[in-house]
Amino acid sequence: MRDDHHRRLVPGNNGVFKRSVVVGGRVVGTWTRTGAGGRRKLQVDAFEPITEATTRQLEARFSAFPFVTP
């Protein structure tokens, strides 16, 4: 992993990782959610460009994610 990608994944270099986006066995970015309730949206901070097909797959998996906190 490139140093700049590592810093974005583990900002404090202290073992606390952000939520990672893994495609093909490689970490390609981090993700967060925005919104609340039924209006939650996926926000991806990609380390490099990802394809539209991959974006659709990520959004489908995100929509199936069982959020348990408001």
Side-chain angles (χ1 to χ4, degrees):
M1 174 176 287
R2 292 179 16 189
D3 286 342
D4 59 326
H5 294 176
H6 181 268
R7 283 191 298 275
R8 289 165 67 182
L9 182 62
V10 191
N13 200 29
N14 58 2
V16 178
F17 289 69
K18 289 187 170 185
R19 297 174 181 130
S20 59
V21 176
V22 180
V23 176
R26 290 182 49 232
V27 176
V28 298
T30 61
W31 70 273
T32 58
R33 62 181 169 152
T34 60
R39 295 194 234 174
R40 288 188 177 100
K41 291 193 176 198
L42 174 66
Q43 183 175 338
V44 174
D45 176 19
F47 298 159
E48 51 198 48
I50 56 175
T51 66
E52 286 295 320
T54 298
T55 299
R56 285 192 301 273
Q57 290 174 340
L58 293 170
E59 288 172 347
R61 289 178 186 219
F62 177 80
S63 67
F65 192 79
F67 294 103
V68 294
T69 57

